Amino acid sequence: DIQLTQSPSFLSASVGDRVTITCRASQGISSYLAWYQQKPGKAPKLLIYAASTLQSGVPSRFSGSGSGTEFTLTISSLQPEDFATYYCQQLNSYPPLFTFGPGTKVDIK
Amino acid sequence: QVQLQESGPGLVKPSETLSLTCTVSGGSISSYYWSWIRQPPGKGLEWIGYIYYSGSTNYNPSLKSRVTISVDTSKNQFSLKLSSVTAADTAVYYCARGTAAAGTTDWGQGTLVTVSS
């Protein structure tokens, strides 16, 4: 089974900071990776799919990159509404297993 | 705009079977993977499994022996059964819709299921 790890698990940042979160897969998953944002008490929200495609309606300060085993989510200028937990999800293999990474909490410094 | 709504008991006794239903409105159960995902209090997301619109299923290997996901296209619903539950199965359970190419795009609001006697 493909396992996902995320780093860091916790990140303290200020408004306006550039933030990068890394997701690593235990095996190559091509570009079958998605990123989600979750705020307390809410369902996750899809931000990025196919590793780098921005979901409709998501601000352009969010971007994704990578393929194979290493992926990054970047927030170019952190906004107050971006303080949340971020998860990666792999969608690879056939039939696909939609496993999640452990999450990265972005908190206010 | 498709909407998903979970329903089912909020309290289940240990060793019993947890049963939840997801009702889909604003669209039909077709051409997507229909998933169940859970989140224990204060912890991360865990994918439980999905049913494809064709009826094929795939489950998280760690839960496979206890999980059954089924679909009722006539009611536009899909369901989760998780047997032999313990306190470790206490979680918010989400139903969701997605594809392998474009991720999980639509989520229910989630329902808290507590396992306790």
Side-chain angles (χ1 to χ4, degrees):
Chain A
D1 300 341
I2 298 173
Q3 306 297 320
L4 297 178
T5 58
Q6 286 183 237
S7 60
S9 55
F10 179 84
L11 187 159
S12 185
S14 302
V15 172
D17 284 353
R18 181 181 181 88
V19 167
T20 299
I21 299 168
T22 298
C23 177
R24 290 185 175 87
S26 58
Q27 301 174 39
I29 57 171
S30 186
S31 296
Y32 287 95
L33 189 101
W35 289 98
Y36 302 84
Q37 176 194 68
Q38 187 182 32
K39 297 182 179 180
K42 299 294 187 181
K45 172 188 173 184
L46 177 65
L47 299 175
I48 302 279
Y49 63 92
S52 61
T53 302
L54 196 67
Q55 174 70 351
S56 176
V58 174
S60 59
R61 62 181 180 273
F62 291 93
S63 64
S65 65
S67 66
T69 60
E70 187 158 329
F71 303 86
T72 59
L73 172 70
T74 300
I75 309 172
S76 60
S77 177
L78 199 65
Q79 297 302 300
E81 60 267 32
D82 301 336
F83 292 97
T85 301
Y86 294 85
Y87 295 92
C88 57
Q89 182 191 33
Q90 69 99 359
L91 306 161
N92 194 43
S93 72
Y94 185 80
L97 299 178
F98 293 169
T99 49
F100 289 93
T104 296
K105 184 175 182 180
V106 178
D107 210 348
I108 302 172
K109 182 182 283 184
Chain B
Q1 178 75 5
V2 70
Q3 292 187 315
L4 296 88
Q5 179 67 58
E6 306 89 353
S7 60
L11 181 64
V12 180
K13 289 182 168 55
S15 80
E16 295 189 344
T17 295
L18 179 159
S19 295
L20 294 174
T21 295
C22 182
T23 300
V24 180
S25 58
S28 67
I29 293 186
S30 62
S31 304
Y32 289 96
Y33 292 95
W34 300 90
S35 292
W36 287 97
I37 296 150
R38 71 180 183 178
Q39 186 169 37
K43 296 188 177 181
L45 300 169
E46 181 179 33
W47 172 73
I48 299 170
Y50 63 68
I51 186 162
Y52 194 45
Y53 77 102
S54 62
S56 62
T57 55
N58 202 14
Y59 303 132
N60 187 323
S62 68
L63 298 170
K64 188 173 183 177
S65 64
R66 299 193 291 131
V67 174
T68 302
I69 297 176
S70 59
V71 65
D72 186 337
T73 53
S74 68
K75 295 182 179 179
N76 237 29
Q77 295 176 333
F78 63 106
S79 299
L80 168 71
K81 291 189 185 300
L82 181 66
S83 64
S84 306
V85 297
T86 69
D89 295 309
T90 294
V92 173
Y93 285 76
Y94 295 99
C95 60
R97 178 183 86 158
T99 68
T104 306
T105 52
D106 303 286
W107 298 70
Q109 65 184 20
T111 187
L112 174 63
V113 179
T114 301
V115 178
S116 174
S117 55

